[in-house]
Amino acid sequence: MTEIQKNIKIVEKRITEACERAGRSRDEVKLIAVSKTMLVETILEAVKENIFVFGENKVQELVKKSEDLKDYDIEWHMIGHLQANKVKYLPNIATLIHSVDNLRLAGEIQKIGEKSNKILDILVQVNIAKENTKFGLLTEKVEDFVREVAGYQNIRVKGLMTVPPFVRNSEENRHYFKKMKKIMVDLNDKNIDNISMSVLSMGMTGDYEVAIEEGATLVRVGTGIFGERPYLK
Ligand SMILES: *Cc1c(COP(=O)(O)O)cnc(C)c1O
């Protein structure tokens, strides 16, 4: 067995166990293998292990890999910071855009959605720990943002995404995951027209089990599957 195959087995087992601890069904949680910086051959090793959902954080890389791997039935997610001028590449490639955190970007997604006659699925990125190094809306800005985007006809707000602080002990992030879940539940309770969210994208290699225990529906695992990334940017 290759290292990647072994890693996938471990991650799958941990996801299943976290679901059991939380009394959740395994199919409530989807694993996104974060393949940024990884070669197509490396991605194919994961495909062999029945991984068909991948996350990338750069549009060019996403476009290139989706072309190289077009013969495989892969679902691609855009998880990284996104510039408005790159949105035009995404409609036929990305199943979900995780990283929407400003109206300029949302406006461009609306425009491109309209042009391509599609409704584009997005998540609203929240900077849950108010870190000034991180993208995402501050908690107190999320409701106004969602209310505004709710009026955009070619955008469907599926839920929320966050990248919490890097911590050695994943328990330190539990309260942030709890807060994310609460923000989503509270927003749904407001019955905003067009808004019914069910997706919580949270949890990475260091903390996905805790995230699942607190309600994550998408976990984004890179290092835990592919090993350390080469430092190329
Ligand atoms: C790189 C990345 C991940 C994966 O991080 P790991 O710690 O390697 O699992 C998850 N989410 C986002 C937004 C990323 O950029």
Side-chain angles (χ1 to χ4, degrees), residues 34 36 57 79-80 161 163 203-206 220-224 229:
V34 176
K36 63 191 189 200
N57 70 336
I79 63 171
M161 178 272 210
V163 182
M204 305 172 24
T205 296
R220 311 179 307 265
V221 179
T223 318
R229 284 178 287 275

mmCIF file of all heavy atoms in Angstrom, residues 34 36 57 79-80 161 163 203-206 220-224 229, ligand 1:
data_model
loop_
_atom_site.group_PDB
_atom_site.id
_atom_site.type_symbol
_atom_site.label_atom_id
_atom_site.label_comp_id
_atom_site.label_asym_id
_atom_site.label_seq_id
_atom_site.Cartn_x
_atom_site.Cartn_y
_atom_site.Cartn_z
ATOM 1 N N VAL A 34 -7.669 17.943 -0.180
ATOM 2 C CA VAL A 34 -7.089 19.205 -0.640
ATOM 3 C C VAL A 34 -5.782 18.915 -1.381
ATOM 4 O O VAL A 34 -4.774 18.539 -0.782
ATOM 5 C CB VAL A 34 -6.877 20.184 0.535
ATOM 6 C CG1 VAL A 34 -6.192 21.455 0.045
ATOM 7 C CG2 VAL A 34 -8.220 20.516 1.184
ATOM 8 N N LYS A 36 -4.002 20.918 -3.497
ATOM 9 C CA LYS A 36 -3.159 22.050 -3.926
ATOM 10 C C LYS A 36 -1.683 21.671 -3.856
ATOM 11 O O LYS A 36 -1.270 20.988 -2.914
ATOM 12 C CB LYS A 36 -3.437 23.281 -3.063
ATOM 13 C CG LYS A 36 -3.098 23.109 -1.603
ATOM 14 C CD LYS A 36 -3.647 24.270 -0.765
ATOM 15 C CE LYS A 36 -3.117 24.199 0.647
ATOM 16 N NZ LYS A 36 -3.934 24.969 1.598
ATOM 17 N N ASN A 57 -6.879 25.738 -4.177
ATOM 18 C CA ASN A 57 -6.983 27.118 -3.705
ATOM 19 C C ASN A 57 -6.526 28.154 -4.724
ATOM 20 O O ASN A 57 -6.520 29.334 -4.438
ATOM 21 C CB ASN A 57 -6.223 27.297 -2.380
ATOM 22 C CG ASN A 57 -4.724 27.209 -2.562
ATOM 23 O OD1 ASN A 57 -4.251 26.607 -3.521
ATOM 24 N ND2 ASN A 57 -3.986 27.805 -1.649
ATOM 25 N N ILE A 79 -11.492 26.382 -2.804
ATOM 26 C CA ILE A 79 -11.484 26.640 -1.356
ATOM 27 C C ILE A 79 -10.643 27.853 -0.971
ATOM 28 O O ILE A 79 -10.666 28.283 0.175
ATOM 29 C CB ILE A 79 -10.976 25.405 -0.567
ATOM 30 C CG1 ILE A 79 -9.516 25.079 -0.921
ATOM 31 C CG2 ILE A 79 -11.880 24.199 -0.820
ATOM 32 C CD1 ILE A 79 -8.910 24.012 -0.022
ATOM 33 N N GLY A 80 -9.889 28.405 -1.916
ATOM 34 C CA GLY A 80 -8.953 29.479 -1.566
ATOM 35 C C GLY A 80 -9.492 30.861 -1.869
ATOM 36 O O GLY A 80 -10.530 31.021 -2.526
ATOM 37 N N MET A 161 -18.205 28.721 5.687
ATOM 38 C CA MET A 161 -16.880 28.095 5.707
ATOM 39 C C MET A 161 -15.978 28.891 6.637
ATOM 40 O O MET A 161 -16.126 30.108 6.757
ATOM 41 C CB MET A 161 -16.328 28.104 4.281
ATOM 42 C CG MET A 161 -14.937 27.545 4.108
ATOM 43 S SD MET A 161 -13.631 28.771 4.332
ATOM 44 C CE MET A 161 -12.380 28.115 3.233
ATOM 45 N N VAL A 163 -11.670 28.998 8.277
ATOM 46 C CA VAL A 163 -10.329 28.474 8.533
ATOM 47 C C VAL A 163 -9.928 29.005 9.917
ATOM 48 O O VAL A 163 -9.522 30.147 10.042
ATOM 49 C CB VAL A 163 -9.310 28.966 7.481
ATOM 50 C CG1 VAL A 163 -7.927 28.364 7.756
ATOM 51 C CG2 VAL A 163 -9.769 28.632 6.070
ATOM 52 N N GLY A 203 -12.803 22.312 9.442
ATOM 53 C CA GLY A 203 -12.004 21.162 9.849
ATOM 54 C C GLY A 203 -10.974 20.847 8.783
ATOM 55 O O GLY A 203 -11.310 20.647 7.617
ATOM 56 N N MET A 204 -9.698 20.869 9.194
ATOM 57 C CA MET A 204 -8.581 20.540 8.322
ATOM 58 C C MET A 204 -7.799 19.408 8.991
ATOM 59 O O MET A 204 -8.257 18.835 9.966
ATOM 60 C CB MET A 204 -7.724 21.791 8.075
ATOM 61 C CG MET A 204 -8.583 22.906 7.531
ATOM 62 S SD MET A 204 -7.909 24.587 7.340
ATOM 63 C CE MET A 204 -6.176 24.429 7.198
ATOM 64 N N THR A 205 -6.612 19.112 8.477
ATOM 65 C CA THR A 205 -5.871 17.966 9.010
ATOM 66 C C THR A 205 -5.782 17.973 10.543
ATOM 67 O O THR A 205 -5.988 16.944 11.181
ATOM 68 C CB THR A 205 -4.456 17.915 8.402
ATOM 69 O OG1 THR A 205 -4.594 17.690 6.999
ATOM 70 C CG2 THR A 205 -3.622 16.792 9.015
ATOM 71 N N GLY A 206 -5.518 19.136 11.124
ATOM 72 C CA GLY A 206 -5.276 19.193 12.566
ATOM 73 C C GLY A 206 -6.512 19.130 13.434
ATOM 74 O O GLY A 206 -6.411 18.909 14.650
ATOM 75 N N ARG A 220 -11.939 19.573 4.982
ATOM 76 C CA ARG A 220 -10.939 19.812 3.932
ATOM 77 C C ARG A 220 -9.585 19.324 4.430
ATOM 78 O O ARG A 220 -8.923 19.987 5.212
ATOM 79 C CB ARG A 220 -10.880 21.313 3.612
ATOM 80 C CG ARG A 220 -12.262 21.965 3.363
ATOM 81 C CD ARG A 220 -12.101 23.450 3.081
ATOM 82 N NE ARG A 220 -11.332 24.125 4.109
ATOM 83 C CZ ARG A 220 -11.860 24.765 5.170
ATOM 84 N NH1 ARG A 220 -13.166 24.837 5.325
ATOM 85 N NH2 ARG A 220 -11.067 25.339 6.051
ATOM 86 N N VAL A 221 -9.191 18.146 3.968
ATOM 87 C CA VAL A 221 -7.966 17.534 4.495
ATOM 88 C C VAL A 221 -6.905 17.434 3.400
ATOM 89 O O VAL A 221 -7.125 16.788 2.374
ATOM 90 C CB VAL A 221 -8.276 16.132 5.076
ATOM 91 C CG1 VAL A 221 -6.999 15.491 5.609
ATOM 92 C CG2 VAL A 221 -9.329 16.226 6.178
ATOM 93 N N GLY A 222 -5.780 18.109 3.623
ATOM 94 C CA GLY A 222 -4.680 18.068 2.661
ATOM 95 C C GLY A 222 -3.540 17.203 3.166
ATOM 96 O O GLY A 222 -3.349 16.056 2.734
ATOM 97 N N THR A 223 -2.765 17.760 4.090
ATOM 98 C CA THR A 223 -1.585 17.077 4.626
ATOM 99 C C THR A 223 -1.899 15.677 5.138
ATOM 100 O O THR A 223 -1.100 14.754 4.956
ATOM 101 C CB THR A 223 -0.995 17.917 5.792
ATOM 102 O OG1 THR A 223 -1.027 19.296 5.413
ATOM 103 C CG2 THR A 223 0.418 17.515 6.100
ATOM 104 N N GLY A 224 -3.025 15.521 5.770
ATOM 105 C CA GLY A 224 -3.407 14.228 6.340
ATOM 106 C C GLY A 224 -3.573 13.144 5.289
ATOM 107 O O GLY A 224 -3.555 11.952 5.604
ATOM 108 N N ARG A 229 3.170 19.474 2.067
ATOM 109 C CA ARG A 229 3.240 20.082 0.737
ATOM 110 C C ARG A 229 4.649 20.616 0.483
ATOM 111 O O ARG A 229 5.287 21.127 1.391
ATOM 112 C CB ARG A 229 2.240 21.240 0.630
ATOM 113 C CG ARG A 229 0.809 20.786 0.455
ATOM 114 C CD ARG A 229 -0.142 21.959 0.413
ATOM 115 N NE ARG A 229 -0.326 22.576 1.714
ATOM 116 C CZ ARG A 229 -1.199 22.151 2.627
ATOM 117 N NH1 ARG A 229 -1.973 21.117 2.383
ATOM 118 N NH2 ARG A 229 -1.311 22.759 3.780
HETATM 119 C C1 LIG B 1 -4.562 24.027 2.411
HETATM 120 C C2 LIG B 1 -5.952 24.173 2.892
HETATM 121 C C3 LIG B 1 -6.589 23.137 3.605
HETATM 122 C C4 LIG B 1 -5.913 21.841 3.972
HETATM 123 O O1 LIG B 1 -4.999 22.035 5.001
HETATM 124 P P1 LIG B 1 -4.283 20.784 5.719
HETATM 125 O O2 LIG B 1 -3.897 21.330 7.049
HETATM 126 O O3 LIG B 1 -3.137 20.417 4.872
HETATM 127 O O4 LIG B 1 -5.288 19.713 5.838
HETATM 128 C C5 LIG B 1 -7.904 23.340 3.982
HETATM 129 N N1 LIG B 1 -8.569 24.482 3.695
HETATM 130 C C6 LIG B 1 -8.001 25.493 3.024
HETATM 131 C C7 LIG B 1 -8.792 26.709 2.739
HETATM 132 C C8 LIG B 1 -6.680 25.373 2.610
HETATM 133 O O5 LIG B 1 -6.116 26.396 1.935
#
